[in-house]
Each structure stands twice: as structure tokens, then as C-alpha cells.
Amino acid sequence: MRNYRFQHSSHRQAVLAERAREMRQSLTPSEQVLWQAIRGGGLGVQFRRQVVLGRYIVDFFAREVALVVEVDGGYHARLRERADERRDRWLRRQGYTILRLGDALVLRELPQAIGLIRARLQELRG
């Protein structure tokens, strides 16, 4: 299985690790809702939250199938679109699959959001 902790300068890695720890302590409401639904291996894989992959921190990561799940809010829709595209390209080149879910979907239609994750997991398992 892929080693998802890439080698970077020790300082940069330490900064990313600290930022990920901070982010785990301050999840957005939609991230909190999704985390409660996917934690503990209930979907057949173990997800971790706020994981450092290379130079990025992803919302949720299932190492077993190299699946990244991102929860995007209004901020992502406009201001982060280009940065997210670059990030997604880099992650895909590393062999990761990215599933982006809108925060409104997670908050209002959680069963549908979980269904999308289940479907993607099924595709990845073959």
C-alpha cells in the first residue's frame, strides 16, 4: 500500500502536522456531521480526518483505497476553485481518488452524501 506521508523538509512537515492537529480540533459543522457518520469503519474502510498528503491537508482519507473525501462550502465554490483544481491534479497524479461533497448536501441530505461515498468505495474495490 502507498506510503501517504511524503518526504519534505522537516520544518514544513512539522508545520503541516501542527496545522492538521488544529484543524481536527475545529471541524466545520458539515465536517463534524460527516465525521460522525463515517468514523469507526462503518463503511468497510477506516477513515482518518485532516490528514497530511504531500503538501496538502485533506478533510478525510481512507488509506486502504486511497480515497480522499473533501467537504466544500461556499468558500470553496468561488475563492478556492483554481487552488482546488491544482491540488486535485497533484493528488490524482499520486494515485488518489478525490470525492468532493458540498457542505449543504452533507448537512441537509446526509444519507445521500453517504450513498455517494459508498458508491465510490464500491467502484474502487472493483
Side-chain angles (χ1 to χ4, degrees):
M1 177 52 55
R2 160 186 301 286
N3 179 358
Y4 58 92
R5 293 187 190 258
F6 296 94
Q7 299 298 319
H8 288 283
S9 75
S10 59
H11 174 71
R12 181 181 180 96
Q13 197 65 23
V15 169
L16 284 170
E18 178 59 30
R19 179 70 181 126
R21 269 191 294 281
E22 292 170 4
M23 292 171 73
R24 282 192 289 275
Q25 299 304 313
S26 60
L27 296 176
T28 66
S30 54
E31 289 170 341
Q32 289 174 0
V33 166
L34 187 58
W35 177 240
Q36 291 304 312
I38 66 175
R39 67 186 292 182
L43 294 177
V45 296
Q46 188 69 38
F47 278 94
R48 294 183 57 217
R49 61 190 167 140
Q50 305 304 333
V51 175
V52 176
L53 297 177
R55 61 182 181 252
Y56 300 107
I57 300 171
V58 300
D59 292 339
F60 303 101
F61 180 58
R63 181 180 185 198
E64 179 183 331
V65 293
L67 175 62
V68 171
V69 178
E70 290 288 308
V71 179
D72 296 337
Y75 175 74
H76 279 275
R78 290 193 176 95
L79 300 176
R80 297 283 309 164
E81 190 173 314
R82 277 192 156 147
D84 284 346
E85 288 173 7
R86 279 192 309 273
R87 179 179 194 255
D88 288 357
R89 275 193 308 272
W90 185 88
L91 289 166
R92 280 190 208 99
R93 282 194 308 263
Q94 306 312 308
Y96 300 110
T97 299
I98 301 103
L99 175 62
R100 290 190 171 276
L101 303 173
D103 64 343
L105 177 70
V106 171
L107 291 171
R108 296 184 190 133
E109 300 291 337
L110 182 61
Q112 183 180 355
I114 297 301
L116 292 171
I117 296 170
R118 282 185 197 279
R120 187 60 54 91
L121 287 169
Q122 188 174 19
E123 288 172 14
L124 292 171
R125 290 181 181 145

